[in-house]
Amino acid sequence: MSRLRKSLAIGLSVLALTVAANAGAATLKASYFFDNTLASSTAGAPDLVAIDPSGTSGFVTDTVYGNSRQVFHVGGTNANADQGGLAFNSTGLLTSDSYSVALTFEFFDRASAWRRILDVTNRTSDAGFYVDPGNQLDVYPISGSSVAFTNDVYRNVALTVGPAGPNNVTGYIDGIGSFTTTTNTLDLLPGGLINLFIDNNMGGGQGEWSTANIASARFYDGVLTAAEVGAINHDPVTPPPVGGVPEPASWAMMLVGFGSIGTVLRRRTMTAPAITA
């Protein structure tokens, strides 16, 4: 094989590996920043649905990391019939056992008690993602954490689920890994409904709820890396670019591949023998 063909093969192989790696990365599918709307800032995603039986939820102005902005207040009481929350329909957007959620929110009530963050069972089970009585993140009934959660202050909380295997679920607070565990408890059911904050109304352990303010919510297909969670934590309420664009490292790999092709082409041009009449 000629040197040019070898370099072309190497460059294309690097490109193929880059595309394959990027295809398996987490891709932003829906993002919400609550600027007087429950619509997504990411094209193609559905509006969030407010669950507000008490009529006390709505947009309010608050200070989030030093900036005055609109947030969504989740009102109600911890009685099942009065709990406020938000619902996200992930149908066609998220893989049931490989997705990530990043939230910026604060709880107000029931410190040192169970408070539901995320439910994927359509309220039929006590299993889910919580702040527990130790004021730490917890996937009930599987695993807790060791990083404190504090009421009355905005926290960046991220959850990554999948793929199947050891330590397939990870929780983060403010960009710091809080726990990792192995469970399929958070795999999405058919229909792909994700409820935020509202607790189960069937089975045991009901009423585990708190009023809240939420400033941002992002939903990704695939698993965010620790570095990506850290980047989100760095600027949690600035709308991100549309998902699917290669990361800088991916672009660098592409450039290496194309650069090797270009180098050989230049060398062949410089060393080509002169053609005489």
Side-chain angles (χ1 to χ4, degrees):
M1 184 184 292
S2 69
R3 293 178 65 186
L4 176 59
R5 288 181 179 177
K6 284 183 179 179
S7 294
L8 283 169
I10 292 170
L12 291 174
S13 295
V14 171
L15 178 59
L17 289 171
T18 300
V19 171
N22 193 65
T27 302
L28 181 68
K29 293 295 186 178
S31 53
Y32 304 88
F33 296 93
F34 305 103
D35 187 13
N36 285 313
T37 180
L38 295 179
S40 174
S41 62
T42 305
D47 295 355
L48 290 177
V49 176
I51 301 164
D52 185 25
S54 68
T56 57
S57 299
F59 297 99
V60 298
T61 301
D62 201 6
T63 300
V64 184
Y65 296 103
N67 298 308
S68 179
R69 63 187 305 275
Q70 294 296 107
V71 300
F72 189 79
H73 175 71
V74 177
T77 73
N78 66 333
N80 283 347
D82 289 335
Q83 292 176 10
L86 294 163
F88 171 66
N89 186 344
S90 70
T91 301
L93 297 175
L94 305 186
T95 303
S96 64
D97 62 350
S98 183
Y99 68 92
S100 303
V101 179
L103 307 171
T104 303
F105 70 95
E106 60 180 339
F107 279 144
F108 296 109
D109 309 317
R110 306 181 71 246
S112 302
W114 290 98
R115 287 146 284 168
R116 173 92 76 164
I117 300 172
L118 183 145
D119 161 56
V120 298
T121 70
N122 200 18
R123 308 188 72 180
T124 63
S125 169
D126 196 29
F129 186 41
Y130 292 87
V131 177
D132 68 19
N135 297 308
Q136 299 167 346
L137 297 184
D138 198 305
V139 174
Y140 181 83
I142 309 301
S143 178
S145 64
S146 58
V147 180
F149 182 100
T150 308
N151 270 11
D152 304 308
V153 61
Y154 282 95
R155 308 301 299 267
N156 297 314
V157 172
L159 176 74
T160 66
V161 177
N167 299 328
N168 67 314
V169 173
T170 302
Y172 300 84
I173 298 180
D174 299 332
I176 299 171
S178 175
F179 69 87
T180 184
T181 190
T182 303
T183 180
N184 61 2
T185 295
L186 295 172
D187 288 2
L188 302 178
L189 297 179
L193 186 65
I194 297 177
N195 291 316
L196 301 179
F197 308 129
I198 56 174
D199 197 28
N200 56 297
N201 53 19
M202 297 176 63
Q206 298 181 22
E208 296 167 339
W209 178 92
S210 171
T211 53
N213 281 351
I214 181 167
S216 71
R218 295 180 173 106
F219 299 87
Y220 298 81
D221 191 39
V223 178
L224 291 166
T225 66
E228 289 168 334
V229 171
I232 294 170
N233 176 71
H234 179 69
D235 194 0
V237 294
T238 298
V242 175
V245 178
E247 296 294 322
S250 298
W251 282 118
M253 290 178 69
M254 289 183 184
L255 291 173
V256 168
F258 286 123
S260 64
I261 296 171
T263 299
V264 171
L265 288 174
R266 287 194 299 272
R267 286 178 179 172
R268 285 181 63 85
T269 300
M270 293 172 61
T271 59
I275 299 175
T276 57

